[in-house]
Amino acid sequence: MLPYTFKKLSILIKRTFHKSRILQIALITFLWFIAQEISLLSRMPIPGGVIGLVLVLALLYFNLLSIRSLALGAEWFLAEMLLFFIPAVPAVLNHQEFFGWTGLKILAIIIVGTMIVIIGTAIIVDFSFYQLEKQSKPEKKQ
Amino acid sequence: MNFELFLHYRPWLMAAEVTLIWSFVTIGLYLLSKRFHRRYKKWWTTPIIITPILLIVITLLSHTNYNVYIRGTHWLMALLGPATVAFAIPIYRRRNIIVLYWKTLSIGVVFGSILSIASAWFLASAVGIDETLRLSLLPRSISTPFAMVISGEIGGVPELTALFVILTGIFGASFGQLALYWLPLKSKLSMGASFGLAAHVAGSSKAYELDNEVGTIAALVMVLTGIFNVLIAPLLEAILS
């Protein structure tokens, strides 16, 4: 009787998890919290978020966690990501020196630099993609 | 409730007030500008451009110090951590992309990182920016938590780097869409890689809006770039000093 109840209960918990977005958000936050602690304790220069990402990939890979108990929560985090950036922007108010020449110069560097990186990366990846694709095509046919 | 006790806890109450008010204002403005963006689809109506501008105006008008504002909304920024974790799901779903194209992806990460650091260095030298600012600018195209670690390591100011990282993300996400529209690119791989490399999380989020696959590649490249940059930071420090 008891193992049967236990099994039933675990199925019930799983089902609620698969449906509930809030529970999944809480689970992802909890996993991040653990990763953050690992990052602090091991004194690695790798941020907690990235350790958490690798941790979740490992959990998914070894079937310890099903993708359905995270998917809804992850969807929410990715969709509302911009909100988490916004509070950092008014920090310019703390730096009066940016309201002037230095600020314009920095803005120009960021704009021009980002354009160079976007265009450069896109071209090199596109180029190498077709080079590697050409090499691997005959292999596929064999 | 005893009134004396109430007064005694006033500082505590004020902290709660600050958090409530500024979180409410930030989230409210974000939701409003999101709705606005849905109605008027222009690149400059995106919430990441409109919301901070409105916030700056409000904080200036109400004579609020940024330190007070960030105390109330710090928890929102902390959510960037779990948001990074959330990228595991799309990456896991499309893991076959990594297996297929790991060569091209690694070329993109190495070349793009070098391009990013070198362009910041030469541009900053060209317009005459002082040393600390220049060092703070170097790691700007990797995601915030990584960039702050690296900035401290090579002698920049992590707080400033965080700001530059975010400006880069905002600009990269908006410009990336335009650039990739004009460039004669044939592969989704190249679009995703340049979004993820140049504009980290903001770019990946934008890429998701455009196409699921491009977004996955962007997220993957972002993470790989972050790790690669942390690994080469000691080398960079040795070159710079």
Side-chain angles (χ1 to χ4, degrees), chain A residues 32 50 53 80-81 87-88 91 94 105 111 113-115 122 126 128 130 132, chain B residues 30 34 66-67 81 84 92 104 127 140 146 166 171 175 186-187 190 198 201:
Chain A
W32 165 72
V50 174
L53 193 152
E80 308 300 340
M81 180 101 62
N94 264 6
K105 277 180 187 169
I111 289 175
T114 309
M115 278 159 75
D126 218 36
S128 78
Y130 281 100
L132 295 171
Chain B
Y30 169 74
K34 221 172 127 179
Y66 177 70
N67 298 338
T84 313
Y92 183 75
T104 307
V127 295
R140 72 175 202 296
F146 279 119
I166 279 144
F171 178 74
F175 173 76
K186 288 155 232 146
S187 64
S190 60
V201 188

PDB file of all heavy atoms in Angstrom, chain A residues 32 50 53 80-81 87-88 91 94 105 111 113-115 122 126 128 130 132, chain B residues 30 34 66-67 81 84 92 104 127 140 146 166 171 175 186-187 190 198 201:
ATOM      1  N   TRP A  32      20.079  28.008  -9.665  1.00  0.00           N
ATOM      2  CA  TRP A  32      21.055  29.092  -9.806  1.00  0.00           C
ATOM      3  C   TRP A  32      21.702  29.383  -8.457  1.00  0.00           C
ATOM      4  O   TRP A  32      22.898  29.627  -8.362  1.00  0.00           O
ATOM      5  CB  TRP A  32      20.374  30.345 -10.348  1.00  0.00           C
ATOM      6  CG  TRP A  32      21.207  31.574 -10.194  1.00  0.00           C
ATOM      7  CD1 TRP A  32      22.332  31.888 -10.899  1.00  0.00           C
ATOM      8  CD2 TRP A  32      20.997  32.638  -9.279  1.00  0.00           C
ATOM      9  NE1 TRP A  32      22.831  33.092 -10.471  1.00  0.00           N
ATOM     10  CE2 TRP A  32      22.031  33.571  -9.474  1.00  0.00           C
ATOM     11  CE3 TRP A  32      20.031  32.895  -8.298  1.00  0.00           C
ATOM     12  CZ2 TRP A  32      22.126  34.743  -8.723  1.00  0.00           C
ATOM     13  CZ3 TRP A  32      20.122  34.056  -7.567  1.00  0.00           C
ATOM     14  CH2 TRP A  32      21.167  34.959  -7.776  1.00  0.00           C
ATOM     15  N   VAL A  50      26.585  30.663 -15.163  1.00  0.00           N
ATOM     16  CA  VAL A  50      27.154  29.748 -16.158  1.00  0.00           C
ATOM     17  C   VAL A  50      27.366  28.357 -15.568  1.00  0.00           C
ATOM     18  O   VAL A  50      27.110  27.348 -16.227  1.00  0.00           O
ATOM     19  CB  VAL A  50      28.463  30.327 -16.724  1.00  0.00           C
ATOM     20  CG1 VAL A  50      29.130  29.339 -17.634  1.00  0.00           C
ATOM     21  CG2 VAL A  50      28.152  31.599 -17.486  1.00  0.00           C
ATOM     22  N   LEU A  53      24.071  26.835 -15.669  1.00  0.00           N
ATOM     23  CA  LEU A  53      23.726  26.402 -17.031  1.00  0.00           C
ATOM     24  C   LEU A  53      24.337  25.029 -17.325  1.00  0.00           C
ATOM     25  O   LEU A  53      23.659  24.121 -17.810  1.00  0.00           O
ATOM     26  CB  LEU A  53      24.253  27.445 -18.026  1.00  0.00           C
ATOM     27  CG  LEU A  53      23.774  27.398 -19.471  1.00  0.00           C
ATOM     28  CD1 LEU A  53      23.811  28.784 -20.057  1.00  0.00           C
ATOM     29  CD2 LEU A  53      24.605  26.484 -20.318  1.00  0.00           C
ATOM     30  N   GLU A  80      11.413  37.672 -20.691  1.00  0.00           N
ATOM     31  CA  GLU A  80      11.438  38.913 -19.910  1.00  0.00           C
ATOM     32  C   GLU A  80      12.849  39.377 -19.576  1.00  0.00           C
ATOM     33  O   GLU A  80      13.051  40.215 -18.707  1.00  0.00           O
ATOM     34  CB  GLU A  80      10.648  38.737 -18.603  1.00  0.00           C
ATOM     35  CG  GLU A  80       9.253  38.205 -18.771  1.00  0.00           C
ATOM     36  CD  GLU A  80       8.363  39.082 -19.623  1.00  0.00           C
ATOM     37  OE1 GLU A  80       8.673  40.279 -19.793  1.00  0.00           O
ATOM     38  OE2 GLU A  80       7.356  38.570 -20.146  1.00  0.00           O
ATOM     39  N   MET A  81      13.837  38.828 -20.274  1.00  0.00           N
ATOM     40  CA  MET A  81      15.234  39.123 -19.988  1.00  0.00           C
ATOM     41  C   MET A  81      15.562  40.617 -19.982  1.00  0.00           C
ATOM     42  O   MET A  81      16.332  41.096 -19.146  1.00  0.00           O
ATOM     43  CB  MET A  81      16.075  38.422 -21.043  1.00  0.00           C
ATOM     44  CG  MET A  81      17.524  38.622 -20.909  1.00  0.00           C
ATOM     45  SD  MET A  81      18.273  37.234 -20.159  1.00  0.00           S
ATOM     46  CE  MET A  81      17.920  35.974 -21.313  1.00  0.00           C
ATOM     47  N   PRO A  87      17.514  48.136 -14.802  1.00  0.00           N
ATOM     48  CA  PRO A  87      17.977  48.896 -13.636  1.00  0.00           C
ATOM     49  C   PRO A  87      19.449  49.326 -13.687  1.00  0.00           C
ATOM     50  O   PRO A  87      19.840  50.224 -12.960  1.00  0.00           O
ATOM     51  CB  PRO A  87      17.750  47.922 -12.470  1.00  0.00           C
ATOM     52  CG  PRO A  87      16.666  47.039 -12.932  1.00  0.00           C
ATOM     53  CD  PRO A  87      16.882  46.864 -14.397  1.00  0.00           C
ATOM     54  N   ALA A  88      20.260  48.706 -14.553  1.00  0.00           N
ATOM     55  CA  ALA A  88      21.674  49.077 -14.602  1.00  0.00           C
ATOM     56  C   ALA A  88      21.907  50.356 -15.393  1.00  0.00           C
ATOM     57  O   ALA A  88      22.914  51.030 -15.194  1.00  0.00           O
ATOM     58  CB  ALA A  88      22.493  47.940 -15.212  1.00  0.00           C
ATOM     59  N   ALA A  91      22.647  54.036 -14.091  1.00  0.00           N
ATOM     60  CA  ALA A  91      23.948  54.214 -13.437  1.00  0.00           C
ATOM     61  C   ALA A  91      24.740  55.359 -14.052  1.00  0.00           C
ATOM     62  O   ALA A  91      25.639  55.903 -13.409  1.00  0.00           O
ATOM     63  CB  ALA A  91      24.757  52.921 -13.512  1.00  0.00           C
ATOM     64  N   ASN A  94      25.426  58.449 -12.008  1.00  0.00           N
ATOM     65  CA  ASN A  94      26.503  58.504 -11.019  1.00  0.00           C
ATOM     66  C   ASN A  94      27.809  59.008 -11.616  1.00  0.00           C
ATOM     67  O   ASN A  94      28.768  59.240 -10.890  1.00  0.00           O
ATOM     68  CB  ASN A  94      26.730  57.112 -10.425  1.00  0.00           C
ATOM     69  CG  ASN A  94      25.988  56.938  -9.123  1.00  0.00           C
ATOM     70  OD1 ASN A  94      25.224  57.831  -8.735  1.00  0.00           O
ATOM     71  ND2 ASN A  94      26.190  55.828  -8.462  1.00  0.00           N
ATOM     72  N   LYS A 105      32.618  60.213 -26.702  1.00  0.00           N
ATOM     73  CA  LYS A 105      33.710  59.368 -27.220  1.00  0.00           C
ATOM     74  C   LYS A 105      33.434  57.902 -26.917  1.00  0.00           C
ATOM     75  O   LYS A 105      33.568  57.035 -27.789  1.00  0.00           O
ATOM     76  CB  LYS A 105      35.037  59.773 -26.569  1.00  0.00           C
ATOM     77  CG  LYS A 105      35.714  60.961 -27.209  1.00  0.00           C
ATOM     78  CD  LYS A 105      37.007  61.244 -26.470  1.00  0.00           C
ATOM     79  CE  LYS A 105      37.670  62.516 -26.930  1.00  0.00           C
ATOM     80  NZ  LYS A 105      38.773  62.886 -26.027  1.00  0.00           N
ATOM     81  N   ILE A 111      29.606  52.078 -30.249  1.00  0.00           N
ATOM     82  CA  ILE A 111      28.823  51.901 -31.476  1.00  0.00           C
ATOM     83  C   ILE A 111      29.681  51.357 -32.612  1.00  0.00           C
ATOM     84  O   ILE A 111      29.365  50.336 -33.222  1.00  0.00           O
ATOM     85  CB  ILE A 111      28.136  53.230 -31.865  1.00  0.00           C
ATOM     86  CG1 ILE A 111      27.017  53.527 -30.857  1.00  0.00           C
ATOM     87  CG2 ILE A 111      27.569  53.160 -33.285  1.00  0.00           C
ATOM     88  CD1 ILE A 111      26.337  54.855 -31.055  1.00  0.00           C
ATOM     89  N   GLY A 113      32.707  49.959 -32.444  1.00  0.00           N
ATOM     90  CA  GLY A 113      33.272  48.665 -32.084  1.00  0.00           C
ATOM     91  C   GLY A 113      32.269  47.538 -32.256  1.00  0.00           C
ATOM     92  O   GLY A 113      32.586  46.484 -32.797  1.00  0.00           O
ATOM     93  N   THR A 114      31.042  47.775 -31.797  1.00  0.00           N
ATOM     94  CA  THR A 114      30.014  46.732 -31.897  1.00  0.00           C
ATOM     95  C   THR A 114      29.692  46.430 -33.354  1.00  0.00           C
ATOM     96  O   THR A 114      29.501  45.268 -33.737  1.00  0.00           O
ATOM     97  CB  THR A 114      28.745  47.157 -31.144  1.00  0.00           C
ATOM     98  OG1 THR A 114      29.120  47.561 -29.831  1.00  0.00           O
ATOM     99  CG2 THR A 114      27.764  46.020 -31.034  1.00  0.00           C
ATOM    100  N   MET A 115      29.657  47.488 -34.194  1.00  0.00           N
ATOM    101  CA  MET A 115      29.407  47.271 -35.615  1.00  0.00           C
ATOM    102  C   MET A 115      30.505  46.416 -36.226  1.00  0.00           C
ATOM    103  O   MET A 115      30.224  45.474 -36.983  1.00  0.00           O
ATOM    104  CB  MET A 115      29.312  48.618 -36.350  1.00  0.00           C
ATOM    105  CG  MET A 115      27.950  49.262 -36.230  1.00  0.00           C
ATOM    106  SD  MET A 115      27.966  51.033 -36.548  1.00  0.00           S
ATOM    107  CE  MET A 115      28.116  51.069 -38.296  1.00  0.00           C
ATOM    108  N   ALA A 122      30.049  37.839 -38.327  1.00  0.00           N
ATOM    109  CA  ALA A 122      29.096  37.259 -39.273  1.00  0.00           C
ATOM    110  C   ALA A 122      29.813  36.795 -40.528  1.00  0.00           C
ATOM    111  O   ALA A 122      29.575  35.686 -41.020  1.00  0.00           O
ATOM    112  CB  ALA A 122      28.009  38.276 -39.614  1.00  0.00           C
ATOM    113  N   ASP A 126      30.235  32.867 -41.601  1.00  0.00           N
ATOM    114  CA  ASP A 126      29.609  32.489 -42.860  1.00  0.00           C
ATOM    115  C   ASP A 126      30.632  31.847 -43.793  1.00  0.00           C
ATOM    116  O   ASP A 126      30.388  30.807 -44.395  1.00  0.00           O
ATOM    117  CB  ASP A 126      29.000  33.728 -43.523  1.00  0.00           C
ATOM    118  CG  ASP A 126      27.679  33.405 -44.206  1.00  0.00           C
ATOM    119  OD1 ASP A 126      26.932  32.571 -43.659  1.00  0.00           O
ATOM    120  OD2 ASP A 126      27.406  33.972 -45.274  1.00  0.00           O
ATOM    121  N   SER A 128      33.626  30.448 -42.995  1.00  0.00           N
ATOM    122  CA  SER A 128      34.145  29.162 -42.529  1.00  0.00           C
ATOM    123  C   SER A 128      33.059  28.089 -42.591  1.00  0.00           C
ATOM    124  O   SER A 128      33.334  26.924 -42.811  1.00  0.00           O
ATOM    125  CB  SER A 128      34.718  29.282 -41.119  1.00  0.00           C
ATOM    126  OG  SER A 128      33.697  29.298 -40.176  1.00  0.00           O
ATOM    127  N   TYR A 130      30.808  27.760 -44.949  1.00  0.00           N
ATOM    128  CA  TYR A 130      30.749  27.211 -46.303  1.00  0.00           C
ATOM    129  C   TYR A 130      32.011  26.471 -46.684  1.00  0.00           C
ATOM    130  O   TYR A 130      31.952  25.516 -47.460  1.00  0.00           O
ATOM    131  CB  TYR A 130      30.370  28.307 -47.306  1.00  0.00           C
ATOM    132  CG  TYR A 130      28.886  28.525 -47.223  1.00  0.00           C
ATOM    133  CD1 TYR A 130      28.344  29.586 -46.497  1.00  0.00           C
ATOM    134  CD2 TYR A 130      28.010  27.603 -47.795  1.00  0.00           C
ATOM    135  CE1 TYR A 130      26.975  29.734 -46.372  1.00  0.00           C
ATOM    136  CE2 TYR A 130      26.645  27.740 -47.668  1.00  0.00           C
ATOM    137  CZ  TYR A 130      26.131  28.811 -46.968  1.00  0.00           C
ATOM    138  OH  TYR A 130      24.785  28.929 -46.826  1.00  0.00           O
ATOM    139  N   LEU A 132      33.820  24.674 -44.497  1.00  0.00           N
ATOM    140  CA  LEU A 132      33.734  23.378 -43.825  1.00  0.00           C
ATOM    141  C   LEU A 132      32.631  22.520 -44.438  1.00  0.00           C
ATOM    142  O   LEU A 132      32.742  21.313 -44.532  1.00  0.00           O
ATOM    143  CB  LEU A 132      33.468  23.574 -42.327  1.00  0.00           C
ATOM    144  CG  LEU A 132      34.592  24.262 -41.547  1.00  0.00           C
ATOM    145  CD1 LEU A 132      34.132  24.584 -40.143  1.00  0.00           C
ATOM    146  CD2 LEU A 132      35.820  23.366 -41.501  1.00  0.00           C
TER     147      LEU A 132
ATOM    148  N   TYR B  30       8.197  49.091 -17.821  1.00  0.00           N
ATOM    149  CA  TYR B  30       8.612  48.023 -18.740  1.00  0.00           C
ATOM    150  C   TYR B  30       7.392  47.413 -19.438  1.00  0.00           C
ATOM    151  O   TYR B  30       7.379  47.256 -20.670  1.00  0.00           O
ATOM    152  CB  TYR B  30       9.385  46.968 -17.962  1.00  0.00           C
ATOM    153  CG  TYR B  30       9.637  45.689 -18.724  1.00  0.00           C
ATOM    154  CD1 TYR B  30      10.575  45.645 -19.743  1.00  0.00           C
ATOM    155  CD2 TYR B  30       8.934  44.529 -18.428  1.00  0.00           C
ATOM    156  CE1 TYR B  30      10.800  44.477 -20.441  1.00  0.00           C
ATOM    157  CE2 TYR B  30       9.158  43.359 -19.111  1.00  0.00           C
ATOM    158  CZ  TYR B  30      10.093  43.335 -20.120  1.00  0.00           C
ATOM    159  OH  TYR B  30      10.317  42.169 -20.805  1.00  0.00           O
ATOM    160  N   LYS B  34       6.472  47.740 -23.363  1.00  0.00           N
ATOM    161  CA  LYS B  34       6.349  46.497 -24.132  1.00  0.00           C
ATOM    162  C   LYS B  34       5.065  46.512 -24.961  1.00  0.00           C
ATOM    163  O   LYS B  34       5.051  46.137 -26.131  1.00  0.00           O
ATOM    164  CB  LYS B  34       6.320  45.310 -23.162  1.00  0.00           C
ATOM    165  CG  LYS B  34       7.133  44.142 -23.644  1.00  0.00           C
ATOM    166  CD  LYS B  34       7.220  43.108 -22.569  1.00  0.00           C
ATOM    167  CE  LYS B  34       6.784  41.767 -23.067  1.00  0.00           C
ATOM    168  NZ  LYS B  34       6.891  40.727 -22.038  1.00  0.00           N
ATOM    169  N   TYR B  66      20.946  57.558  -7.732  1.00  0.00           N
ATOM    170  CA  TYR B  66      20.960  56.228  -8.345  1.00  0.00           C
ATOM    171  C   TYR B  66      21.188  55.142  -7.294  1.00  0.00           C
ATOM    172  O   TYR B  66      20.629  54.060  -7.391  1.00  0.00           O
ATOM    173  CB  TYR B  66      22.033  56.140  -9.427  1.00  0.00           C
ATOM    174  CG  TYR B  66      22.131  54.754 -10.032  1.00  0.00           C
ATOM    175  CD1 TYR B  66      21.116  54.269 -10.842  1.00  0.00           C
ATOM    176  CD2 TYR B  66      23.205  53.933  -9.753  1.00  0.00           C
ATOM    177  CE1 TYR B  66      21.174  53.000 -11.378  1.00  0.00           C
ATOM    178  CE2 TYR B  66      23.276  52.648 -10.287  1.00  0.00           C
ATOM    179  CZ  TYR B  66      22.264  52.197 -11.102  1.00  0.00           C
ATOM    180  OH  TYR B  66      22.331  50.933 -11.619  1.00  0.00           O
ATOM    181  N   ASN B  67      21.996  55.467  -6.267  1.00  0.00           N
ATOM    182  CA  ASN B  67      22.279  54.473  -5.226  1.00  0.00           C
ATOM    183  C   ASN B  67      21.006  54.036  -4.505  1.00  0.00           C
ATOM    184  O   ASN B  67      20.870  52.883  -4.106  1.00  0.00           O
ATOM    185  CB  ASN B  67      23.284  55.032  -4.219  1.00  0.00           C
ATOM    186  CG  ASN B  67      24.604  55.354  -4.881  1.00  0.00           C
ATOM    187  OD1 ASN B  67      24.917  54.809  -5.941  1.00  0.00           O
ATOM    188  ND2 ASN B  67      25.366  56.255  -4.282  1.00  0.00           N
ATOM    189  N   GLY B  81      21.036  36.078 -13.303  1.00  0.00           N
ATOM    190  CA  GLY B  81      21.674  34.789 -12.998  1.00  0.00           C
ATOM    191  C   GLY B  81      20.797  33.622 -13.421  1.00  0.00           C
ATOM    192  O   GLY B  81      21.179  32.835 -14.295  1.00  0.00           O
ATOM    193  N   THR B  84      20.415  33.277 -17.112  1.00  0.00           N
ATOM    194  CA  THR B  84      21.521  32.592 -17.792  1.00  0.00           C
ATOM    195  C   THR B  84      21.326  31.077 -17.705  1.00  0.00           C
ATOM    196  O   THR B  84      21.544  30.358 -18.671  1.00  0.00           O
ATOM    197  CB  THR B  84      22.869  32.995 -17.164  1.00  0.00           C
ATOM    198  OG1 THR B  84      22.898  34.411 -17.031  1.00  0.00           O
ATOM    199  CG2 THR B  84      24.028  32.544 -18.005  1.00  0.00           C
ATOM    200  N   TYR B  92      19.999  22.684 -24.867  1.00  0.00           N
ATOM    201  CA  TYR B  92      19.847  21.224 -24.804  1.00  0.00           C
ATOM    202  C   TYR B  92      18.958  20.717 -25.942  1.00  0.00           C
ATOM    203  O   TYR B  92      19.242  19.682 -26.544  1.00  0.00           O
ATOM    204  CB  TYR B  92      19.260  20.824 -23.454  1.00  0.00           C
ATOM    205  CG  TYR B  92      19.142  19.335 -23.296  1.00  0.00           C
ATOM    206  CD1 TYR B  92      20.273  18.561 -23.055  1.00  0.00           C
ATOM    207  CD2 TYR B  92      17.921  18.688 -23.409  1.00  0.00           C
ATOM    208  CE1 TYR B  92      20.187  17.192 -22.926  1.00  0.00           C
ATOM    209  CE2 TYR B  92      17.824  17.321 -23.288  1.00  0.00           C
ATOM    210  CZ  TYR B  92      18.960  16.573 -23.047  1.00  0.00           C
ATOM    211  OH  TYR B  92      18.871  15.218 -22.931  1.00  0.00           O
ATOM    212  N   THR B 104      33.144  25.464 -36.841  1.00  0.00           N
ATOM    213  CA  THR B 104      32.781  26.829 -37.226  1.00  0.00           C
ATOM    214  C   THR B 104      32.500  27.680 -35.990  1.00  0.00           C
ATOM    215  O   THR B 104      32.911  28.836 -35.916  1.00  0.00           O
ATOM    216  CB  THR B 104      31.529  26.802 -38.128  1.00  0.00           C
ATOM    217  OG1 THR B 104      31.783  25.907 -39.191  1.00  0.00           O
ATOM    218  CG2 THR B 104      31.215  28.163 -38.674  1.00  0.00           C
ATOM    219  N   VAL B 127      40.860  57.833 -30.076  1.00  0.00           N
ATOM    220  CA  VAL B 127      40.189  59.049 -29.636  1.00  0.00           C
ATOM    221  C   VAL B 127      40.750  59.589 -28.324  1.00  0.00           C
ATOM    222  O   VAL B 127      40.313  60.631 -27.842  1.00  0.00           O
ATOM    223  CB  VAL B 127      38.656  58.863 -29.508  1.00  0.00           C
ATOM    224  CG1 VAL B 127      38.030  58.593 -30.856  1.00  0.00           C
ATOM    225  CG2 VAL B 127      38.312  57.787 -28.508  1.00  0.00           C
ATOM    226  N   ARG B 140      33.724  44.450 -23.050  1.00  0.00           N
ATOM    227  CA  ARG B 140      32.339  44.883 -23.067  1.00  0.00           C
ATOM    228  C   ARG B 140      31.378  43.989 -23.856  1.00  0.00           C
ATOM    229  O   ARG B 140      30.182  44.068 -23.660  1.00  0.00           O
ATOM    230  CB  ARG B 140      32.226  46.307 -23.593  1.00  0.00           C
ATOM    231  CG  ARG B 140      32.477  46.365 -25.070  1.00  0.00           C
ATOM    232  CD  ARG B 140      32.276  47.685 -25.671  1.00  0.00           C
ATOM    233  NE  ARG B 140      32.031  47.490 -27.081  1.00  0.00           N
ATOM    234  CZ  ARG B 140      32.911  46.975 -27.931  1.00  0.00           C
ATOM    235  NH1 ARG B 140      34.103  46.619 -27.505  1.00  0.00           N
ATOM    236  NH2 ARG B 140      32.616  46.806 -29.197  1.00  0.00           N
ATOM    237  N   PHE B 146      30.565  37.775 -16.418  1.00  0.00           N
ATOM    238  CA  PHE B 146      31.917  37.473 -16.904  1.00  0.00           C
ATOM    239  C   PHE B 146      32.739  38.742 -17.021  1.00  0.00           C
ATOM    240  O   PHE B 146      33.873  38.822 -16.571  1.00  0.00           O
ATOM    241  CB  PHE B 146      31.846  36.870 -18.309  1.00  0.00           C
ATOM    242  CG  PHE B 146      31.529  35.427 -18.357  1.00  0.00           C
ATOM    243  CD1 PHE B 146      30.388  34.987 -18.994  1.00  0.00           C
ATOM    244  CD2 PHE B 146      32.376  34.515 -17.797  1.00  0.00           C
ATOM    245  CE1 PHE B 146      30.094  33.648 -19.071  1.00  0.00           C
ATOM    246  CE2 PHE B 146      32.102  33.166 -17.869  1.00  0.00           C
ATOM    247  CZ  PHE B 146      30.945  32.728 -18.511  1.00  0.00           C
ATOM    248  N   ILE B 166      26.129  46.772 -20.935  1.00  0.00           N
ATOM    249  CA  ILE B 166      24.701  46.923 -21.189  1.00  0.00           C
ATOM    250  C   ILE B 166      24.440  47.827 -22.390  1.00  0.00           C
ATOM    251  O   ILE B 166      23.593  47.530 -23.234  1.00  0.00           O
ATOM    252  CB  ILE B 166      23.994  47.376 -19.912  1.00  0.00           C
ATOM    253  CG1 ILE B 166      23.774  46.129 -19.058  1.00  0.00           C
ATOM    254  CG2 ILE B 166      22.658  48.031 -20.201  1.00  0.00           C
ATOM    255  CD1 ILE B 166      23.902  46.327 -17.634  1.00  0.00           C
ATOM    256  N   PHE B 171      22.761  48.431 -28.006  1.00  0.00           N
ATOM    257  CA  PHE B 171      23.067  48.847 -29.364  1.00  0.00           C
ATOM    258  C   PHE B 171      23.210  47.646 -30.290  1.00  0.00           C
ATOM    259  O   PHE B 171      22.674  47.651 -31.405  1.00  0.00           O
ATOM    260  CB  PHE B 171      24.337  49.701 -29.393  1.00  0.00           C
ATOM    261  CG  PHE B 171      24.697  50.100 -30.786  1.00  0.00           C
ATOM    262  CD1 PHE B 171      23.956  51.069 -31.440  1.00  0.00           C
ATOM    263  CD2 PHE B 171      25.724  49.480 -31.459  1.00  0.00           C
ATOM    264  CE1 PHE B 171      24.254  51.404 -32.745  1.00  0.00           C
ATOM    265  CE2 PHE B 171      26.031  49.819 -32.758  1.00  0.00           C
ATOM    266  CZ  PHE B 171      25.285  50.784 -33.395  1.00  0.00           C
ATOM    267  N   PHE B 175      21.169  47.179 -33.613  1.00  0.00           N
ATOM    268  CA  PHE B 175      21.894  47.310 -34.869  1.00  0.00           C
ATOM    269  C   PHE B 175      22.042  45.960 -35.573  1.00  0.00           C
ATOM    270  O   PHE B 175      22.000  45.898 -36.799  1.00  0.00           O
ATOM    271  CB  PHE B 175      23.266  47.929 -34.626  1.00  0.00           C
ATOM    272  CG  PHE B 175      24.132  47.953 -35.851  1.00  0.00           C
ATOM    273  CD1 PHE B 175      23.901  48.891 -36.842  1.00  0.00           C
ATOM    274  CD2 PHE B 175      25.152  47.042 -36.019  1.00  0.00           C
ATOM    275  CE1 PHE B 175      24.681  48.908 -37.977  1.00  0.00           C
ATOM    276  CE2 PHE B 175      25.936  47.051 -37.150  1.00  0.00           C
ATOM    277  CZ  PHE B 175      25.695  47.991 -38.137  1.00  0.00           C
ATOM    278  N   LYS B 186      24.225  33.835 -45.655  1.00  0.00           N
ATOM    279  CA  LYS B 186      23.410  32.704 -46.074  1.00  0.00           C
ATOM    280  C   LYS B 186      23.080  31.766 -44.926  1.00  0.00           C
ATOM    281  O   LYS B 186      22.111  31.023 -44.994  1.00  0.00           O
ATOM    282  CB  LYS B 186      24.117  31.943 -47.184  1.00  0.00           C
ATOM    283  CG  LYS B 186      24.114  32.696 -48.507  1.00  0.00           C
ATOM    284  CD  LYS B 186      25.281  32.266 -49.367  1.00  0.00           C
ATOM    285  CE  LYS B 186      26.081  33.456 -49.841  1.00  0.00           C
ATOM    286  NZ  LYS B 186      27.500  33.188 -49.945  1.00  0.00           N
ATOM    287  N   SER B 187      23.910  31.761 -43.864  1.00  0.00           N
ATOM    288  CA  SER B 187      23.668  30.767 -42.816  1.00  0.00           C
ATOM    289  C   SER B 187      23.095  31.390 -41.555  1.00  0.00           C
ATOM    290  O   SER B 187      23.446  32.501 -41.170  1.00  0.00           O
ATOM    291  CB  SER B 187      24.974  30.047 -42.492  1.00  0.00           C
ATOM    292  OG  SER B 187      25.889  30.953 -41.964  1.00  0.00           O
ATOM    293  N   SER B 190      25.843  32.153 -38.843  1.00  0.00           N
ATOM    294  CA  SER B 190      26.570  33.407 -38.770  1.00  0.00           C
ATOM    295  C   SER B 190      25.752  34.501 -38.078  1.00  0.00           C
ATOM    296  O   SER B 190      26.280  35.298 -37.313  1.00  0.00           O
ATOM    297  CB  SER B 190      26.988  33.851 -40.172  1.00  0.00           C
ATOM    298  OG  SER B 190      25.847  34.026 -40.971  1.00  0.00           O
ATOM    299  N   ALA B 198      28.590  39.673 -30.159  1.00  0.00           N
ATOM    300  CA  ALA B 198      28.680  41.122 -30.022  1.00  0.00           C
ATOM    301  C   ALA B 198      27.759  41.659 -28.938  1.00  0.00           C
ATOM    302  O   ALA B 198      28.089  42.622 -28.263  1.00  0.00           O
ATOM    303  CB  ALA B 198      28.360  41.783 -31.358  1.00  0.00           C
ATOM    304  N   VAL B 201      23.649  38.673 -23.821  1.00  0.00           N
ATOM    305  CA  VAL B 201      22.277  38.268 -23.489  1.00  0.00           C
ATOM    306  C   VAL B 201      21.224  39.085 -24.243  1.00  0.00           C
ATOM    307  O   VAL B 201      20.218  38.546 -24.711  1.00  0.00           O
ATOM    308  CB  VAL B 201      22.030  38.364 -21.978  1.00  0.00           C
ATOM    309  CG1 VAL B 201      20.698  37.756 -21.622  1.00  0.00           C
ATOM    310  CG2 VAL B 201      23.116  37.652 -21.217  1.00  0.00           C
TER     311      VAL B 201
END
